[in-house]
Amino acid sequence: MAMEVTQVLLNAQSVDSTVRKHAEESLRQFQEQNLSVFLLSLSGELAGEDKPVDSRKLAGLILKNALDAKEQHRKYELVQRWLALDMGVKTQIKACLLQTLSSPVHDAHSTASQVIAKVAAIELPQKQWPELIGSLLSNIHQVPAHVKQATLETLGYLCEEVSPDVVDQDQVNKILTAVVQGMNANEVNNDVRLAATRALYNALGFSHANFSNDMERDYIMRVVCEATLCPDVKIRQAAFECLVSIASTYYEKLAPYIQEIFNITAKAVREDEEPVALQAIELWSSICDEEIDILEEYGGDFTADSDVPCYYFIKQALPALVPMLLETLLKQEEDQDLDEGAWNLAMAGGTCLGLVARTVGDDIVPLVMPFIEENITKPDWRQREAATYAFGSILEGPSPDKLTSIVNVALNFMLTALTNDPNSHVKDTTAWTLGRIFEFLHGSTVETPIITPANCQQIVTVLLQSMNDAPNVAEKACGALYFLVQGYEDIGSTSPITPFFQEIVKSLLHVTDREDAGESRLRTAAYETLNEVVRCSTDETASMVLQLVPIIMTKLHQTLEAEKLSSDGREKQNELQGLLCGCLQVITQKLGASEPAKYAFMQFADQIMNLFLRVFACRSATVHEEAMLAIGAVAHATGPDFAKYMPELYKYLEMGLQNFEEYQVCAVTVGVVGDICRALDDKVLPYCDGIMTQLLKDLSSNQLHRSVKPPIFSCFGDIALAIGENFEKYLMYAMPMLQSAAELSAHTSGADDEMIEYTNLLRNGILEAYSGIFQGFKNSPKTQLLIPYAPHILQFLDSIYMEKDMDDVVMKTAIGVLGDLADTLGSNAGSLIQQSLSCKDFLNECLSSDDHLIKESAEWAKMAITRAISV
Amino acid sequence: MADEITPRRDPIKSSVGNVAAQRRRQHAITVAKERREAVVRTKRLCRVGVGGGGDDQLTYDDDGDGGDMMIDAEQSILEAQTCSAVQDLKLAMLFQGKGAMQKRVAALREVRRLLSRSEFPPIEAAIKAGAIPLLVQCLSFGSPEEQLLEAAWCMTNIAAGKPEETKELLPALPLLIAHLGEKSSLPVAEQCSWAVGNVAGEGEELRNILLSQGALPSLARMMLRNKGSTVRTAAWALSNLIKGPDPKAATELIRVDGVLEAILQHLKKADEELATEVAWVVVYLSALSHVATSMLVKSDLLQILVERLGMSNSLQLLIPVLRSIGNLVAGDAHVASTVLVIGQSITDSILPALIKCLESEHRVLKKEAAWVLSNIAAGSVEHKKLVYASEAVPLLLRLLVTAPFDIRKEVAYVIGNLCVAPSEGSGRPKLIADHLVFLVSKGCLPGFIDLVRSADVEAAKLGLQFIELVLRGMPSGSGPKLVEKADGIDAMERFQFHENEELRCMATKLVDKYFGVDYGVDDE
């Protein structure tokens, strides 16, 4: 039945593009005409020991792609397609795959092992292919090392692809035994040992039962620790990766091993090759992550319960851990600051030091200070940079009490270094450290101010000067300025920044015009800092913000004049337009918030909108996300007059709502529709048919990223609030959607934290829709139309209350919906509410909540219900 | 399935651009969320009409007399909670450390929450615990918006309390008024105008203080904003502020630049809720100030009011609109002749609108509509003919018999006015005989005689005047017989010893003249 495909597969890799295209086309046709034979032929090719390695490899790859896709929708289709295939064909294909595992050709068996995992991912949850694991395990005892290696690789991939709950504990035990045996020092073949170590990494998620058993855990830990000492660097690295994963998955089991873990990591960090040393540092970073999470759950209150207790490993290891990390800081690479993707020992060490500081707080300060004092004035730039970096890293975590006096001394030193240090790496880190100082120790919540009338001018002057420095230094200086002005966001009506406002704006604009502003993301930093300067400004400088409008508009206009761009040029144009639209968004938001400024700003509204529309027009099928975001701000500032832009804007809204692929664009557009509803109120009505159609389409699509769905529901609410009883005609479409989403989101049993979080977002969106619809219909003669939906909504409230896993936001929205229902339906809802199982308990629970917002909503709901019942 | 399994951690030293763009986007989402919540909050708390022109006061929470669903906190517990909430606020005000602002706002919110309790808000307890100076402090310039909002909200609810409680707010008034200005955000200005409106509603003394402190121009300028709820609240506060009795404030208001135009525009285009509040402003303007009335009459206000009256079915809106029309028609003698010109569309459309009101179920509407009609019927002969020929007459005749007293009295004025021509110089009014004959033939006389029997001097006088018309004007001397048949003689004789001299004389003269010694002689 299978067909000869070797030549076609080879042609498909030909350098001659005509040959290649022709071959690709035949493969496509073959697949479409007879999928069974096509897949069977490919598996035969992959298994054929007489076939060229290139065709075997490509055959395997095409097979793999026929089973899985990144995109959820496509993936689902492929799974269904495989499940529908003839059982006999599938059996043959699977036999070929298993047979290929024994091939001595590495590329063949390696590809086969990946395909097997993909098939397993589809079939095991369906209780199909039960013999797979057994037959793989029987391979383990075969003599040829390459078979063993291929089998272990397969087990690893299988564990990566398949969810743990579809594999029996008995089989898990067997897999783990095989894997750990393969890792053992007795295993003489390094390829086998490496494959086993990597397989263990994936199998760790399956091993909860085994890690609860002291003997099994001890054994696994011993084997992993031994593997970190293996002569082969790849095995050492893989073993450390296992340890990292164990540290986060089984944090609560680490205590007996922590001393040994410290010993082997310390040795690796100091002596081993970089990839291994990096993993050793990562291990401590992971432990910090765990302890930060746990301590956050404690909330500083030690009586509170957390599922996992904190073992304070970091605190205990501190005296040895900190010196080890400080040593790494001296191992900088020459030009690491110029390379955005750089990652080395010094960077990982500093990052870990920052996490340690967040974990232990004040305790880290006395351990780091001597290092800083000793190195900060040394002639070797490495020492000065390491000292500065260490200082910058520990600024988050320790209390202001502990840091303020030190920072007060250091500030002057830093400002001088930023001006005078001969080394640009040192200046880069110094500017960054200043930014960290302002981020964590400056602002309305800080008791003792670091920045005073006496030093403010000097700080600003130095930062502005540094904006003429090398791009990487200037970028960090922008960052420092960003946090400096952010500290004044709640300042009130008079800001210390006001006297320098004009100069700051001028300097930032100058930076954006620098020839080299494309390097080190300097231009982005300058615009974002400008945005923050505007956002945190006071009324005193409103006129100067207003003057920025035509300047930014001109710049945006210039980007539209460029003609015939290369693809690189288009990308740059697109990025610059994004920055400029972002800037206009912030300015609009700022000026729109104060009446006199808004009035003055409105003179530009037509021109600004015109520019945004042109930005949209310069792309063919997609919508510019930043321009859309900015339009939301304009809508809010303009209010009902925004109606005049709608005829032209509408098609781009529609385009944005249709953009499934760039789902952030879709999400932003949904948000803007909400802004427009609030601005136009019932004047949005003429556009609602189109918008609702699009939103309903979005909801029924399984291509759209799920994160966009909750805001779409909220948007239903926005529309209903705006158009009131006119929402009538959408009820018959929107209500069933809400209803089925409500049913889906009512129960979360067995879901993980991430799923519960998403479910709560979804519930909140649904509830906001209900609130909007009820309040929209309130006082209209059509409230009767909503009565049929009330029982289901009450039932939904009942079930999420019973489920006991809603967060505070959902609780507040949910109790509000109960009130809205009573408020709008009045006596019609009275008896329904009285019949409800848990409304009363729910309401009482909310009334006694510590959360003011919940309490407030509940009191309102109580009043509405009392009224509804008493009528 | 790549070789590198662990995704790399983000370095601690990263570019500000990444964080900033993310934050900016997050900020936009947060802002949108807050705005959505504000819209919902406004809709939820959307207050019931400020109808009746009385001293309705406004709190956010409507009454909800204790249902049986929950047990309300005992008043004493509530007071204790209030006391401790005010103490917390005091501490929060002193606190300067990390999160001071959030602390203050949270403490304020708690106080406001307690003050919003539906039944008996613990205002007195809050004042005793020293809330007012703290709230005043919270209103200081440059405070964060959230704090201003909460503080103003607290004051709104305190201002809705008993008169002596409202007076406690005196030290806060200058700041509340200052925050009405254009520098404030709309929500803050709106909340403050709410509070000021409640204070103004308290009485003349507080109104005068507010006026002397300059509340009026700021509120007036809020009428020019383009946000519905702001204008609505400002209009409501203004109507409380210009209530008089001194007409000065009303005159001052109409003279503020743009106010007249804003009133016209809102009445023309705004939704009913907003139009209602604006119409109340017009009610007081037209009732109190001649200056205002003459300016209003010169605009196309009356036209707009008549259109509204014709189109709307909202009782809340119809009442002030109708009363404004009445004030204008009654207050300025030229209105009937210069605005309600016969043959103009406005004149044609006003009658159906008024008839609609006469037909309504609502007593106030009927009464006010009759009042307006009586003023129109007091106009030229052409106006009388117009009303006489309309469908109003059968309605009026029925109302004269069946309606409650106050409506009957207004209706009687209309019917009476229909029967007399405008007086030229002194002397008794001239009759319009065919109107009189027709109306009497439809049985209106007993209605008037009923009025004569009432204790209301004005109504009695009206009744007597109509009897005089019948006696004098019915053809071939049939008047006295009709009056006698309707027990009119008896009704008039009651006035023989009446304390009101004018009525006594009128009644005696009529009886003497028409039912004297010669009465009945001819019949025999």
Side-chain angles (χ1 to χ4, degrees), chain A residues 288-399:
Chain A
C288 288
D289 286 344
E290 292 306 312
E291 295 198 344
I292 289 170
D293 279 356
I294 295 169
L295 294 171
E296 212 162 72
E297 256 179 65
Y298 279 177
D301 177 2
F302 290 95
T303 56
D305 287 333
S306 161
D307 295 345
V308 180
C310 187
Y311 289 92
Y312 299 100
F313 295 134
I314 299 295
K315 201 170 176 153
Q316 288 161 35
L318 211 53
L321 183 61
V322 171
M324 173 186 95
L325 291 172
L326 290 172
E327 276 173 46
T328 66
L329 304 188
L330 291 157
K331 300 186 178 162
Q332 310 95 325
E333 287 172 298
E334 279 298 338
D335 287 327
Q336 67 182 39
D337 287 327
L338 307 180
D339 173 11
E340 231 188 288
W343 185 241
N344 57 40
L345 218 51
M347 295 172 82
T351 303
C352 186
L353 192 63
L355 290 167
V356 172
R358 286 174 56 199
T359 314
V360 302
D362 288 357
D363 293 353
I364 197 166
V365 178
L367 293 170
V368 175
M369 285 315 292
F371 177 83
I372 298 172
E373 282 156 7
E374 194 196 321
N375 289 291
I376 196 110
T377 51
K378 283 283 160 63
D380 181 358
W381 72 264
R382 287 175 185 280
Q383 287 174 289
R384 297 199 303 279
E385 197 277 338
T388 315
Y389 188 25
F391 187 47
S393 299
I394 61 163
L395 289 169
E396 184 187 9
S399 63

Side-chain angles (χ1 to χ4, degrees), chain A residues 661-687:
Chain A
E661 261 135 58
E662 295 163 281
Y663 66 89
Q664 296 94 332
V665 174
C666 188
V668 164
T669 314
V670 170
V672 170
V673 168
D675 290 332
I676 291 175
C677 285
R678 283 181 286 278
L680 294 189
D681 236 24
D682 54 358
K683 284 197 192 126
V684 77
L685 189 57
Y687 304 97

